[in-house]
Amino acid sequence: MESHLDSSSKHVENENEDEFERSFKEMLSTLPKGNSWGNFENLFQYQGFWLYPTYLKGVVSAQQQFQAQPSDIMLCSFPKTGTTWLKSLIFSIITRTSFDDSTCPLLSKSPHDVVPFMELHHAHFSTHRDLGIPVLATHAPYSSLPRSIIDSGCRIVYICRDPKDSFVSLYHFKVQIIRTSKNTQAQPIDLNEAFELFCEGENIYGPYCDHVLGYWKASVEHPDKIMFLKYEEMKDETVLYVNKLAEFIGYPFSLEEHKKGVAEKIVKKCSFENLSNLEVNKSEKDYRKVIQNKMFFRKGKVGDWKNYLTPEMAARLDQIIQQKLSGSGLSL
Ligand code: PAP
């Protein structure tokens, strides 16, 4: 039975939630409003980046409430740069002695269910610390991370990708979401229009370059705390990077594990071919409202942009990126 104390603390919790909703709505009404990318919601510009209200609410809530621990691991990324892959790799590294080939949760759960997003679980921030899996993912830009993440000194792993491939991946994701949505206001956006917006930085968590540069600069300043990865390099030498990753997050492979090829097995288990063929990841089960598990697995290739962008479009985006990154020491 619910105790008197439980119900009164729930009451306070509800009041706090109501107060948060009220002040969030008030703040939202003051922010610059952007395009919707065919969505039924517009993007809003917050601290220099474009977000949909649902994600923005989670980021603001995390800024106010999330308490990071030094042993936490934050997986940060711009959308469509390899988050699903990195979630499954980090999860597998951390839990490698807890499960065997037949009991691994990745066989029956989406990588997004085993490693949650910070901004999608506002007020709960389930890091699964209690299960010994202190990992949380976010697409929030570095400058909008909750203060406690920086102050705690916890490890941050960031992954980026050729923006041309990220754009193509994002575009297809968006088209699928709109197709699945029952909201009649949602209309698929045209590729050229979406490309224009992406070049101007008006896309979810955009501008892309500012997102990448924020984490890049922080990783140069604090290489012991922030690991900066590139999707293409990971694809090329996955085993090497899984070893580096394990070392960096504090779960290095032992000599015995090296001999047994444990890293190689993790790489195989988390490969696009393997994960995308699991029933759970082929499923149309809603991961979150209109987003289905299968939408996180499209092609998993480097250079698929060539099938969608003209050479002129590619040159234009490359030039924007080069200009923005010039002098940073980073090339993409
Ligand atoms: P998110 O930001 O919504 O979480 P994210 O996982 O970062 O998405 O990106 C999805 C991309 O990663 C898709 O790329 P594509 O559209 O170019 O195909 C998806 O196919 C790819 N991807 C998913 N899982 C893997 C994997 N195991 N290995 C390599 N790429 C993967």
Side-chain angles (χ1 to χ4, degrees):
M1 207 173 36
E2 197 178 48
S3 71
H4 181 67
L5 201 66
D6 282 345
S7 70
S8 75
S9 66
K10 235 182 209 139
H11 181 69
V12 173
E13 214 175 88
N14 286 345
E15 273 191 353
N16 288 346
E17 190 63 19
D18 288 349
E19 172 54 22
F20 175 77
E21 289 284 339
R22 198 195 49 72
S23 67
F24 177 73
K25 268 194 191 139
E26 203 173 286
M27 184 204 70
L28 201 62
S29 68
T30 67
L31 299 179
K33 214 172 173 179
N35 197 286
S36 69
W37 275 60
N39 210 349
F40 35 90
E41 292 185 310
N42 284 84
L43 288 163
F44 287 84
Q45 196 178 38
Y46 177 72
Q47 299 182 338
F49 291 85
W50 293 101
L51 276 79
Y52 289 112
T54 321
Y55 298 85
L56 177 54
K57 193 191 280 182
V59 169
V60 173
S61 168
Q63 287 178 333
Q64 294 176 6
Q65 301 175 48
F66 180 61
Q67 292 304 322
Q69 309 279 315
S71 55
D72 284 351
I73 298 158
M74 293 301 302
L75 192 173
C76 304
S77 58
F78 179 86
K80 307 296 156 205
T81 55
T83 322
T84 312
W85 188 22
L86 198 53
K87 279 186 177 188
S88 53
L89 287 172
I90 291 184
F91 178 83
S92 300
I93 291 170
I94 291 177
T95 61
R96 63 186 186 265
T97 55
S98 312
F99 305 110
D100 61 33
D101 288 349
S102 64
T103 58
C104 179
L106 284 171
L107 291 171
S108 55
K109 288 183 173 177
S110 156
H112 293 284
D113 284 331
V114 299
V115 177
F117 273 113
M118 179 183 81
E119 53 269 51
L120 289 185
H121 298 265
H122 87 277
H124 299 294
F125 306 124
S126 141
T127 59
H128 299 164
R129 281 184 199 121
D130 52 331
L131 303 176
I133 312 162
V135 195
L136 199 58
T138 182
H139 286 321
Y142 185 77
S143 51
S144 294
L145 286 179
R147 198 60 239 169
S148 72
I149 293 179
I150 315 293
D151 293 346
S152 68
C154 72
R155 296 284 186 282
I156 294 176
V157 179
Y158 184 77
I159 186 160
C160 73
R161 187 181 187 186
D162 181 333
K164 300 189 288 306
D165 279 334
S166 293
F167 165 74
V168 167
S169 183
L170 185 63
Y171 174 73
H172 282 99
F173 189 68
K174 202 75 224 180
V175 168
Q176 285 193 68
I177 289 178
I178 289 169
R179 252 189 228 140
T180 330
S181 157
K182 291 184 182 71
N183 191 317
T184 48
Q185 280 170 280
Q187 291 291 329
I189 186 172
D190 168 71
L191 181 101
N192 291 308
E193 192 193 336
F195 184 75
E196 272 307 309
L197 289 164
F198 192 86
C199 286
E200 285 159 25
E202 202 174 314
N203 51 274
I204 185 163
Y205 290 101
Y208 174 86
C209 273
D210 295 348
H211 200 285
V212 175
L213 272 176
Y215 282 96
W216 168 252
K217 285 178 184 162
S219 76
V220 170
E221 249 176 72
H222 307 284
D224 52 329
K225 299 288 176 219
I226 307 172
M227 184 179 206
F228 191 95
L229 298 169
K230 291 180 181 172
Y231 181 92
E232 294 75 16
E233 290 178 356
M234 294 263 303
K235 272 269 186 189
D236 249 10
E237 293 184 283
T238 318
V239 175
L240 173 77
Y241 281 98
V242 163
N243 275 296
K244 285 187 184 191
L245 199 51
E247 185 90 30
F248 181 77
I249 61 175
Y251 295 78
F253 294 105
S254 65
L255 208 61
E256 193 60 26
E257 287 178 311
H258 278 298
K259 279 192 207 145
K260 283 190 187 157
V262 176
E264 286 78 355
K265 281 188 190 150
I266 289 178
V267 169
K268 211 166 161 190
K269 184 173 78 182
C270 299
S271 68
F272 180 86
E273 291 67 29
N274 189 54
L275 288 183
S276 63
N277 277 310
L278 295 173
E279 277 314 312
V280 63
N281 295 324
K282 287 198 258 183
S283 142
E284 293 186 356
K285 177 181 162 278
D286 285 4
Y287 158 68
R288 200 183 147 79
K289 289 184 188 155
V290 290
I291 304 181
Q292 303 172 340
N293 288 355
K294 66 173 192 179
M295 291 182 187
F296 294 98
F297 299 89
R298 197 181 60 94
K299 290 190 185 168
K301 294 219 158 73
V302 171
D304 186 45
W305 62 263
K306 292 189 187 96
N307 296 314
Y308 299 94
L309 305 184
T310 63
E312 293 73 29
M313 287 161 101
R316 175 162 168 225
L317 188 50
D318 281 344
Q319 203 203 353
I320 294 173
I321 304 294
Q322 263 174 29
Q323 219 166 35
K324 283 230 187 172
L325 298 188
S326 97
S328 69
L330 175 66
S331 60
L332 289 172

